[in-house]
């Protein structure tokens, strides 16, 4: 069975500061890992994904994430936060070609 | 525009009423699913389908029915609405998830009073 834990339900950062969102997963097989972003009153949008190959993956809007198998982690980072990064972020894991299990989400607030 | 279309965007129901949330995709995706989103709980899978005529239960299926008569459509039926079903509902579709991830609809905000 697969599950996802996102550490911290709320993160507040200053504009220009590093954004770090933590995600740990459990999976009985090599997983596929995803990060999604949700802006207010909208659906979820794919930021980036890891399937196989390079463990550091780059996504849209300057975000990147690193898959660390030994730590069962897939943390999301962005070197310099923008006001437009204020949103809710979800980590998700899949063990097959279809079903996704989502974490509880982390809300990011960016301070001017 | 290609994507996942959900209707309605907002709905208020009285306890005991039934209704159908509509979901349609035009990307010829095999996989479709329904999630509900509640504060602090992320998205929880209600039902999913891996193709026309094939459906299965997710994590929280009680009180909901689905059918998949065509590749494009995947309606979600609330049989007898309860206040606990107040939530935001998202429909999603995918080809092979590992290649593309999910495409989400914009959601239906349902309130049961």
């Amino acid at each position: 069975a697969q599950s996802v834990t996102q550490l911290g339900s709320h993160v507040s950062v200053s504009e220009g500061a590093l954004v770090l969102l933590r995600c740990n997963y459990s999976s009985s097989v090599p997983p596929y890992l995803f990060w999604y972003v949700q802006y207010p009153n909208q659906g979820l949008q794919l930021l980036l994904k890891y399937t196989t190959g390079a463990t550091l993956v780059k996504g849209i809007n300057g975000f990147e994430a690193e898959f660390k198998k030994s730590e069962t982690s897939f943390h999301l980072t962005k070197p310099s936060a923008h006001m437009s990064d204020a949103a809710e972020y979800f980590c998700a894991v899949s063990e097959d070609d279809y079903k996704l299990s989502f974490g509880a989400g982390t809300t990011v607030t960016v301070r001017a | 525009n290609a994507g996942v279309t959900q209707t309605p965007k907002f709905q208020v129901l009285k306890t005991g009423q039934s209704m159908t949330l509509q979901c349609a995709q035009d990307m010829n995706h095999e996989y479709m699913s329904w999630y509900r989103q509640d504060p602090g709980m992320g998205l929880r899978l209600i039902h999913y389908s891996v193709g026309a005529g094939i459906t299965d239960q997710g994590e929280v299926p009680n009180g909901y029915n689905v059918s998949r008569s065509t590749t494009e459509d995947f309606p979600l039926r609330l049989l007898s609405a309860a206040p606990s079903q107040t939530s935001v509902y998202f429909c999603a579709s995918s080809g092979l998830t590992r290649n593309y991830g999910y495409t989400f609809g914009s959601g239906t905000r349902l309130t049961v009073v």
Side-chain angles (χ1 to χ4, degrees):
Chain A
Q2 60 204 38
S3 67
V4 179
T5 301
Q6 290 184 238
L7 301 177
S9 58
H10 291 87
V11 169
S12 180
V13 298
S14 298
E15 193 173 18
L18 172 71
V19 179
L20 170 60
L21 304 183
R22 300 180 187 275
C23 173
N24 289 89
Y25 68 91
S26 65
S27 175
S28 56
V29 299
Y32 306 130
L33 297 162
F34 304 82
W35 275 99
Y36 283 85
V37 60
Q38 184 182 32
Y39 299 104
N41 299 314
Q42 295 187 24
L44 279 73
Q45 178 183 359
L46 181 66
L47 270 180
L48 49 80
K49 61 181 173 70
Y50 168 79
T51 54
T52 59
T55 57
L56 181 64
V57 293
K58 296 184 183 300
I60 62 172
N61 301 338
F63 284 92
E64 62 182 34
E66 186 171 12
F67 170 57
K68 293 187 176 180
K69 183 178 179 180
S70 61
E71 299 177 7
T72 61
S73 69
F74 191 56
H75 302 331
L76 181 71
T77 60
K78 181 174 180 178
S80 177
H82 294 171
M83 297 300 291
S84 59
D85 295 326
E88 189 163 18
Y89 293 80
F90 293 92
C91 183
V93 62
S94 176
E95 292 184 340
D96 56 29
D97 276 326
Y98 296 107
K99 285 191 290 183
L100 279 182
S101 294
F102 288 86
T106 299
T107 299
V108 172
T109 303
V110 182
R111 305 185 304 270
Chain B
N1 293 332
V4 178
T5 302
Q6 286 185 240
T7 56
K9 292 189 181 300
F10 302 94
Q11 183 70 49
V12 178
L13 287 179
K14 294 182 178 179
T15 297
Q17 286 184 318
S18 63
M19 78 159 295
T20 300
L21 307 184
Q22 301 292 344
C23 176
Q25 54 93 5
D26 58 2
M27 298 169 285
N28 201 32
H29 283 167
E30 296 177 359
Y31 182 77
M32 297 185 74
S33 56
W34 278 101
Y35 288 86
R36 59 177 289 173
Q37 183 180 24
D38 302 292
M41 304 187 74
L43 280 79
R44 293 181 291 168
L45 182 64
I46 304 171
H47 286 286
Y48 65 97
S49 168
V50 297
I54 305 169
T55 64
D56 206 346
Q57 297 181 351
E59 181 184 357
V60 288
N62 292 340
Y64 307 95
N65 273 356
V66 292
S67 61
R68 184 96 179 268
S69 57
T70 67
T71 300
E72 295 78 18
D73 300 300
F74 191 46
L76 178 72
R77 299 182 187 84
L78 279 70
L79 309 174
S80 177
S84 60
Q85 294 178 304
T86 293
S87 187
V88 181
Y89 291 84
F90 287 100
C91 179
S93 74
S94 175
L96 287 178
T97 301
R98 67 171 180 263
N99 290 338
Y100 306 111
Y102 282 8
T103 299
F104 281 86
S106 57
T108 296
R109 187 173 296 272
L110 176 68
T111 302
V112 183
V113 298

